[in-house]
């Protein structure tokens, strides 16, 4: 096994995305004697979740810059063939079920709840709030009886490409005195969607009084949110609970919306408009804009700073949005920096 970082290790993965994990390289000269077959899942802000391939259980959270021992996963041995048991005697005919037995069977079938399945993303999100209510009651901060939740880009972004995962508006800002929550249309991973929703629901329960400090921090950590409080993500235990909630809800009825156009890897739909209707249009023009909003600004260097109370005394660098989305840099003293307001 060799030491490498997550993105290098991902290139060794087989068709199922599996590699062999030999433990973190920091402080260890040799890999584990018994490597573990794992899959890597790249989360926002440079976080990588390591899951066991056999059980999909999360057991490590690392950064994209963390070195560890890795190797190619060997091929799995085919399962031995099992011969079906020989049937010597024909089964006896069973007596027909009584009406009471039929009714009981139907009830048991209904109890085996299949995913509900919702037509709109708002219905899906609203249903998820009801499933999250018991968690908030358990930590002593119940949710309001009514919360509006929808999908939309965050208000107040400096650029159309600025990534705001979620927003919660206080009751004082609305005519109906009900909190309004918006989830970014860029995210589709159900754990990330529900983790973002949980973060915003803490704001709603607190009505934005505490910001990202005090009661907000206490409740967010009690629920299982981790990371920087302004940009939390689900810890392993909460992520497992959110996956179970997502199974109950069924598929998230939403397709990602990219403010800068779909990634190059995503095939664009074919234009089914007849040639006669497009003839002579757009000659000499570039590709049509992705929205009716302001034109996209070219590459711009963003200012990233460290806190003034750090030993680095407000260390400052500039980088692009592309690298910020992969992970924020740290100052010379190891403290994570933030994008300047």
């Amino acid at each position: 096994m060799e030491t490498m970082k997550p993105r290098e290790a991902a290139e060794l993965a087989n068709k199922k995305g599996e590699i062999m994990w030999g433990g973190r390289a920091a402080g260890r000269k040799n890999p584990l004697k018994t490597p573990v077959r794992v899959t890597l899942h790249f989360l926002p802000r440079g976080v990588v979740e390591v899951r066991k391939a056999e059980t999909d259980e999360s057991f490590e959270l690392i950064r994209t810059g963390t070195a560890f021992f890795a190797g190619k996963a060997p091929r799995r041995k085919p399962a031995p063939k099992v011969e079906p048991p020989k049937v010597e005697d024909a089964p006896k005919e069973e007596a027909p079920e009584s009406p009471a037995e039929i009714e009981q069977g139907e009830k048991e079938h209904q109890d085996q709840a299949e995913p509900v399945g919702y037509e709109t993303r708002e219905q899906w999100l609203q249903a998820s709030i009801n499933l999250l209510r018991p968690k908030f009651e358990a930590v002593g901060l119940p949710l309001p009886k009514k919360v509006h939740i929808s999908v939309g880009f965050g208000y107040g972004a400096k650029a159309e490409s600025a990534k705001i995962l979620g927003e919660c508006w206080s009751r004082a800002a609305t005519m109906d005195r009900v909190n309004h929550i918006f989830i970014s249309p860029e995210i589709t991973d159900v754990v990330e969607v529900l983790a973002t929703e949980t973060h915003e629901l803490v704001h709603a329960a607190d009505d934005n009084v505490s910001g990202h400090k005090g009661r907000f921090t206490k409740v967010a950590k009690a629920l299982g949110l981790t990371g920087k409080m302004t940009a939390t993500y689900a810890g392993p235990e909460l992520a497992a609970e959110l996956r179970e909630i997502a199974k109950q809800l069924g598929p998230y009825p939403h397709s990602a919306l990219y403010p800068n156009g779909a990634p190059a890897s995503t095939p664009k739909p074919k234009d089914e408009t007849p040639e006669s209707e497009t003839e002579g249009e757009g000659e000499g023009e570039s590709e049509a804009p992705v929205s009716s909003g302001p034109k996209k600004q070219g590459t711009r260097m963003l200012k990233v700073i460290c806190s003034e109370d750090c030993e680095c005394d407000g260390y400052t660098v500039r980088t692009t949005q592309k690298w910020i989305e992969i992970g924020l840099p740290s100052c010379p003293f190891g403290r994570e920096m933030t994008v300047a307001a």
Side-chain angles (χ1 to χ4, degrees):
M1 304 188 83
E2 299 180 5
T3 58
M4 57 187 70
K5 295 180 181 178
R7 297 199 179 278
E8 297 173 306
E11 296 179 0
L12 298 178
N14 59 22
K15 293 181 179 179
K16 293 184 178 181
E18 299 172 342
I19 63 169
M20 299 307 293
W21 166 274
R24 298 194 189 195
R28 186 187 295 273
K29 295 181 180 180
N30 299 310
L32 299 173
K33 291 184 179 179
T34 307
V36 182
R37 188 184 292 264
V38 302
T39 57
L40 301 179
H41 299 265
F42 292 84
L43 303 180
R45 298 176 178 84
V47 177
V48 181
E49 182 182 20
V50 185
R51 298 183 196 164
K52 292 182 180 179
E54 302 291 343
T55 62
D56 199 34
E57 174 189 356
S58 176
F59 75 101
E60 282 280 354
L61 284 176
I62 60 176
R63 289 279 182 178
T64 52
T66 303
F68 60 92
F69 293 100
K72 289 186 177 181
R75 291 185 178 180
R76 295 178 181 270
K77 295 181 179 179
K81 293 183 178 180
V82 179
E83 295 292 335
K86 294 181 179 180
V87 180
E88 296 180 358
D89 299 323
K92 296 180 180 180
E93 292 186 4
E94 296 181 0
E97 294 182 343
S98 65
E101 290 174 331
I102 295 174
E103 183 178 351
Q104 179 65 23
E106 291 178 351
K107 184 178 180 182
E108 290 177 358
H109 178 71
Q110 291 174 358
D111 290 341
Q112 296 173 355
E114 295 182 358
V116 178
Y118 293 92
E119 292 185 1
T120 69
R121 52 203 178 189
E122 283 73 22
Q123 291 174 342
W124 192 95
L125 291 167
Q126 198 66 55
S128 67
I129 291 178
N130 293 330
L131 294 177
L132 287 167
R133 284 185 183 278
K135 287 186 65 64
F136 281 81
E137 292 174 2
V139 298
L141 188 63
L143 291 172
K145 291 183 179 180
K146 189 175 183 181
V147 178
H148 295 310
I149 188 165
S150 187
V151 173
F153 286 113
Y155 177 80
K158 288 186 175 181
E160 195 175 351
S161 62
K163 192 169 186 179
I164 297 177
L165 298 183
E167 275 191 341
C168 176
W169 292 80
S170 67
R171 292 159 216 161
T174 66
M175 291 293 291
D176 58 1
R177 293 299 183 263
V178 176
N179 296 104
H180 288 236
I181 290 176
F182 293 93
I183 305 297
S184 171
E186 291 186 71
I187 56 178
T188 56
D189 180 87
V190 288
V191 173
E192 187 177 6
V193 170
L194 291 172
T196 301
E197 178 184 330
T198 302
H199 177 114
E200 301 308 328
L201 285 173
V202 179
H203 284 308
D206 180 60
D207 200 24
N208 289 354
V209 172
S210 304
H212 291 98
K213 299 179 180 179
R215 183 162 66 168
F216 175 91
T217 300
K218 181 180 178 181
V219 173
K221 290 182 177 179
L223 289 168
L225 292 171
T226 188
K228 191 175 181 181
M229 286 296 106
T230 54
T232 60
Y233 56 90
E237 291 185 10
L238 178 60
E241 293 179 33
L242 297 182
R243 286 192 196 96
E244 289 301 317
I245 289 176
K247 286 180 182 178
Q248 295 180 52
L249 294 170
Y252 180 43
H254 172 70
S255 178
L257 176 64
Y258 300 98
N260 294 325
S265 59
T266 303
K268 294 185 178 180
K270 293 181 179 179
D271 186 2
E272 298 180 358
T273 308
E275 291 183 7
S276 58
E277 295 183 16
T278 59
E279 203 169 323
E281 293 184 7
E283 291 181 3
E285 296 180 1
S286 59
E287 188 178 346
V290 296
S291 79
S292 59
K295 292 183 179 179
K296 173 189 171 186
Q297 183 175 338
T299 302
R300 185 165 66 96
M301 301 300 287
L302 301 177
K303 187 177 180 181
V304 182
I305 60 174
C306 190
S307 176
E308 292 183 357
D309 60 4
C310 179
E311 295 177 81
C312 69
D313 195 24
Y315 185 76
T316 303
V317 297
R318 290 185 182 273
T319 185
T320 62
Q321 183 67 27
K322 172 185 174 182
W323 301 119
I324 290 174
E325 290 180 0
I326 293 175
L328 286 166
S330 300
C331 77
F333 291 88
R335 189 167 181 175
E336 188 176 56
M337 303 169 71
T338 57
V339 180

